[in-house]
Amino acid sequence: MKVFSGILAIAIALPASVGAKEFAYECQIENAATPEMSATLTQPDEASVGMISFGDQQVEALIYDGEGSKTFLFLGDDYSLNYTVNTSTGVYEFFADGSRAAEGTGICVVVSEPILGADGSSAGS
């Protein structure tokens, strides 16, 4: 009976501790010409909208899953930012158009996969 009650307690507690996953990629281009060429890309719970963070800025991005890739796309008033990450190798291609025109290739690494609690807080905090 004690084993059963222990399993039941784990089963009841599990939904409160297992929640959404947020993937964060840290992407770097060596000798980047502009701040947005190296960025942190985040995707909460496999959502189609995430964030691009570079320098002291953070912008909302549309996320498109391709075969073996993930593309983060920001469309601004006078520029666009495009980060396409090869999810197997970590290689990414950066392309910006408009007032921030630039392009380059770099490497992304997964830096976090925190499990969020039912209240949206990180399980580690």
Side-chain angles (χ1 to χ4, degrees):
M1 187 66 169
K2 286 184 181 182
V3 172
F4 176 74
S5 62
I7 292 172
L8 182 61
I10 290 171
I12 291 170
L14 192 58
S17 64
V18 175
K21 282 189 176 185
E22 178 178 87
F23 290 94
Y25 298 96
E26 188 70 39
C27 302
Q28 300 290 323
I29 292 178
E30 195 170 317
N31 301 319
T34 63
E36 51 276 333
M37 292 179 89
S38 295
T40 300
L41 312 172
T42 57
Q43 180 182 22
D45 195 27
E46 299 181 21
S48 61
V49 176
M51 299 303 289
I52 300 170
S53 303
F54 54 90
D56 62 351
Q57 293 187 310
Q58 189 172 24
V59 296
E60 194 171 85
L62 300 172
I63 302 172
Y64 299 96
D65 288 313
E67 191 171 319
S69 69
K70 213 174 266 294
T71 298
F72 289 74
L73 177 64
F74 169 76
L75 301 172
D77 289 335
D78 66 342
Y79 67 98
S80 64
L81 304 174
N82 179 315
Y83 303 79
T84 300
V85 181
N86 180 313
T87 55
S88 297
T89 65
V91 171
Y92 82 103
E93 295 178 6
F94 168 80
F95 179 78
D97 199 11
S99 65
R100 298 190 184 199
E103 60 183 84
T105 303
I107 298 290
C108 292
V109 294
V110 175
V111 292
S112 69
E113 297 181 58
I115 296 175
L116 302 179
D119 64 353
S121 64
S122 177
S125 59

